[in-house]
Amino acid sequence: MSKRDGSHQDEQQDIKSQIAEKEVSRREFLQKTALLGLTAAVPGSLFGLGTAMAADESAAGAEVQKKITGRVRVRELGIKIGRFNPGKWNAITDVPGVKVGYTTLISGEGQLVEGRGPVRTGVTVILPHDGNLRADPLFAAPHVLNGNGEMTGLAWVVESGLLTSPIGITNTHSVGVVRDALIEYDVKNGNIKQGTPWSLPVVAETYDGGLSDINGFHVKPEHVWQALESASDGVIAEGNVGGGTGMVCHGFKGGTGTSSRVLPESQGGWTVGVLVQANYGSKELLRVDGVPVGMELVQKEKGTAFTGEVPAEMGSIIIIVATNAPVIPTQCRRLAQRAGLGVARMGGTGGNGSGDIFLAFSTANRSIESANPAVPSSVKMLSHNAMSPLFEAVIEATEEAILNAMCKAETMTGANGKTVTALPLDDLVDIMKQYKRL
């Protein structure tokens, strides 16, 4: 046995002894076991930690600039989530036909005066295709992780399996305005006449009352129309934009984020895109690629060891999943469910005060509603046996979309001078290096 091998075994025995005597910190344990190959032998549940997915070998030795300039997406930091590749834009707009539009409302500062501000809010719209969704709906289905929130129109989506409107996302007290504006837009553009004579739009919310004058009702119909008419594909904004403008995620500035995954051709080559409005979570539970980033940041802020005490989770997250895979409503529901696993990987628990509502739709089947009710529509669908890679793609894209929302969001000061700081990217990189993820 070489001197190196003997030293290696001695170090292993030393670490095991320290664990038994509870004389090693979480950080030391995780770092040393990762280096010595003991991670698999000692379950992460010992310290209440989730299982981490290993980073791609090509990124393992990547050097990241010490001081990050500006706000960047998580991949620009060298952090890669999962094993599938993103699409060209790494966004929900990688799914052909999908467009996203925003109206962002930021005005005023200082003390809150209802009806005047400060205002830190907006509206996001997602157009699943360029046509009239009322006349040419898409297969869709929702999933509710915790229902302390709202997404209108779900009763018909569940009943019919169809998405018949653009999707709006805003703040909690503006849902009605956005819903009515989507109907008015359809009426004025003649879309009602081309489809059924009524409209049941899908509009979701998260609460931005900590930073914004939420009871001032600053989102107006014209803001919804602006978002609709400015919707585009390709690169889309993230962070403090649209409905995500005033949101907080895991104790840091949150907001709007997006990501995508493209399956290998051997698994169909399908694209999955995710957009989130992230406004949930406790700082202490924040994880990035399995690394307990929140615990490390809390310890750094307080200068003491993490005690394990975690505040009750409040807030919400809305997740929209799009795909061009030919899936039917029951399969859309299964995709929507998997978004919850992406939230869990980030450290979300779906707490009692959280509204965690997800919707998945497929752009693959068109002309589902035949003009002649006597003529059946033709539908394509994947085998259920082909769904597992799509599940994984949803989980990966959800986790990365949340991270992009946090990494791109900037520190914001809102009502009554409340300031929510942005996730410190330099610290994030340092922690990921400590845990051998960079």
Side-chain angles (χ1 to χ4, degrees):
M1 181 173 63
S2 69
K3 180 178 179 180
R4 181 177 179 275
D5 289 338
S7 175
H8 184 80
Q9 289 186 356
D10 290 341
E11 287 188 58
Q12 288 181 330
Q13 185 59 46
D14 180 59
I15 292 173
K16 291 177 181 178
S17 298
Q18 290 182 60
I19 293 170
E21 295 172 6
K22 300 182 179 180
E23 293 179 356
V24 64
S25 70
R26 294 185 186 200
R27 179 189 295 175
E28 290 168 341
F29 168 74
L30 289 170
Q31 290 175 0
K32 291 182 179 179
T33 52
L35 285 171
L36 298 175
L38 296 176
T39 305
V42 183
S45 58
L46 179 64
F47 292 126
L49 301 173
T51 302
M53 178 175 287
D56 187 275
E57 288 183 4
S58 63
E63 289 298 327
V64 180
Q65 185 177 348
K66 172 60 180 174
K67 294 297 180 183
I68 292 102
T69 302
R71 306 300 294 177
V72 300
R73 306 185 85 191
V74 69
R75 281 185 180 249
E76 295 176 70
L77 300 175
I79 300 169
K80 297 177 68 175
I81 302 299
R83 65 191 184 96
F84 290 129
N85 292 322
K88 179 178 180 180
W89 311 113
N90 193 12
I92 194 172
T93 49
D94 283 314
V95 178
V98 176
K99 295 182 177 181
V100 177
Y102 304 115
T103 298
T104 300
L105 304 175
I106 299 177
S107 64
E109 58 184 18
Q111 185 175 0
L112 172 66
V113 179
E114 285 191 5
R116 293 178 56 186
V119 180
R120 307 286 189 270
T121 194
V123 60
T124 300
V125 295
I126 299 172
L127 303 180
H129 66 60
D130 286 331
N132 176 7
L133 279 154
R134 302 176 54 69
D136 189 10
L138 300 175
F139 283 146
H143 176 71
V144 178
L145 180 64
N146 193 70
N148 199 337
E150 180 65 279
M151 183 182 284
T152 69
L154 286 195
W156 181 238
V157 175
V158 171
E159 180 76 15
S160 65
L162 299 177
L163 177 63
T164 60
S165 81
I167 300 164
I169 319 177
T170 187
N171 72 69
T172 306
H173 292 179
S174 296
V175 170
V177 171
V178 176
R179 175 190 178 278
D180 292 350
L182 288 176
I183 296 174
E184 186 180 6
Y185 190 85
D186 266 351
V187 170
K188 291 191 174 182
N189 284 279
N191 293 339
I192 295 288
K193 295 179 181 179
Q194 298 176 40
T196 53
W198 61 84
S199 181
L200 299 169
V202 172
V203 181
E205 55 77 30
T206 60
Y207 180 80
D208 60 14
L211 289 169
S212 187
D213 176 23
I214 194 169
N215 294 327
F217 309 109
H218 297 278
V219 175
K220 307 297 183 183
E222 57 265 30
H223 298 138
V224 183
W225 289 31
Q226 289 170 11
L228 285 165
E229 292 170 357
S230 67
S232 63
D233 54 13
V235 176
I236 57 176
E238 297 174 287
N240 304 351
V241 295
T245 300
M247 303 306 168
V248 181
C249 187
H250 284 287
F252 296 102
K253 188 64 189 68
T256 302
T258 189
S259 185
S260 69
R261 293 294 184 272
V262 179
L263 298 188
E265 288 299 325
S266 61
Q267 294 176 320
W270 312 112
T271 299
V272 170
V274 170
L275 184 140
V276 305
Q277 184 163 296
N279 189 57
Y280 77 99
S282 301
K283 181 183 294 187
E284 291 81 355
L285 297 183
L286 172 64
R287 290 187 172 87
V288 176
D289 195 22
V291 173
V293 170
M295 180 189 77
E296 295 286 355
L297 291 173
V298 169
Q299 289 183 170
K300 181 177 180 179
E301 290 171 6
K302 296 183 177 180
T304 59
F306 177 59
T307 64
E309 296 180 6
V310 178
E313 181 175 330
M314 301 292 288
S316 302
I317 181 168
I318 300 300
I319 303 176
I320 307 300
V321 178
T323 184
N324 63 349
V327 291
I328 60 175
T330 55
Q331 295 171 318
C332 286
R333 177 183 57 79
R334 299 181 76 197
L335 293 179
Q337 284 179 325
R338 270 57 184 191
L341 298 180
V343 174
R345 282 172 52 152
M346 286 293 300
T349 63
N352 180 68
S354 194
D356 311 315
I357 306 176
F358 319 141
L359 179 76
F361 67 86
S362 168
T363 63
N365 285 292
R366 300 288 294 270
S367 302
I368 300 168
E369 296 283 81
S370 174
N372 183 349
V375 178
S377 299
S378 297
V379 172
K380 293 181 179 180
M381 67 166 283
L382 288 181
S383 163
H384 286 301
N385 292 329
M387 294 295 293
S388 290
L390 289 172
F391 295 159
E392 187 175 350
V394 170
I395 297 166
E396 290 184 9
T398 298
E399 183 178 5
E400 187 162 336
I402 297 169
L403 283 168
N404 282 335
M406 298 179 70
C407 288
K408 289 291 287 182
E410 299 178 357
T411 296
M412 175 173 282
T413 298
N416 298 319
K418 178 179 179 179
T419 297
V420 179
T421 59
L423 177 67
L425 300 185
D426 287 320
D427 287 343
L428 172 60
V429 168
D430 286 344
I431 293 167
M432 298 304 286
K433 286 181 176 179
Q434 290 169 11
Y435 283 83
K436 309 305 176 185
R437 293 298 195 277
L438 283 174

